Amino acid sequence: MHRIFSTSFASVYPHYVTKVEKKGRTKDELDQVIAWLTGFDAAALQAHLDAGTTFEELFDQARLNPAADQITGVVCGVRVEEIDDPLMRRIRYLDKLVDELARGKAMDKVLRG
């Protein structure tokens, strides 16, 4: 089991916020991306942050977007679509979306619209 599985989402979330805000994007846009991927509305996302939900628990409770399999590319030197472990793939989907948002990609492209 990879240690990121048991890491609290709340401990990583501020880093996502910082990353996108440094590049001129907003926390609201980040939350929209997370909502698209996981199906969590703002209240559910905040509840997970407040509860210290781990990445494993977060994705166990998520309703993964059916278009998530369209997320492709390299994160941390590994092709997302080639990751065998389903949980790790979902975590890397999120990382990839955050990267795309921070790079200034149009929101409709980030959300595979």
Side-chain angles (χ1 to χ4, degrees):
M1 184 163 140
H2 197 280
R3 84 172 204 211
I4 190 69
F5 296 173
S6 60
T7 300
S8 86
F9 177 67
S11 69
V12 177
Y13 179 78
H15 299 287
Y16 290 151
V17 173
T18 300
K19 182 175 190 167
V20 300
E21 286 181 342
K22 271 183 168 176
K23 300 294 185 165
R25 301 307 283 261
T26 66
K27 178 183 171 295
D28 288 340
E29 288 174 310
L30 173 63
D31 291 350
Q32 183 181 354
V33 166
I34 294 169
W36 178 87
L37 180 63
T38 63
F40 298 133
D41 62 14
L45 177 58
Q46 189 59 53
H48 283 293
L49 291 169
D50 293 343
T53 302
T54 66
F55 274 95
E56 184 174 23
E57 294 164 339
L58 182 83
F59 282 106
D60 278 349
Q61 296 173 30
R63 295 180 321 270
L64 202 64
N65 189 301
D69 63 351
Q70 295 176 18
I71 302 168
T72 59
V74 178
V75 175
C76 299
V78 178
R79 286 212 145 278
V80 173
E81 60 272 26
E82 294 176 0
I83 298 172
D84 291 327
D85 185 283
L87 177 56
M88 182 60 81
R89 187 177 320 113
R90 290 176 180 144
I91 293 168
R92 294 305 182 196
Y93 282 163
L94 178 58
D95 290 343
K96 183 67 178 168
L97 293 176
V98 171
D99 285 351
E100 290 176 356
L101 183 65
R103 282 197 321 256
K105 198 170 191 179
M107 187 60 87
D108 65 320
K109 299 255 190 236
V110 173
L111 302 182
R112 306 317 193 248

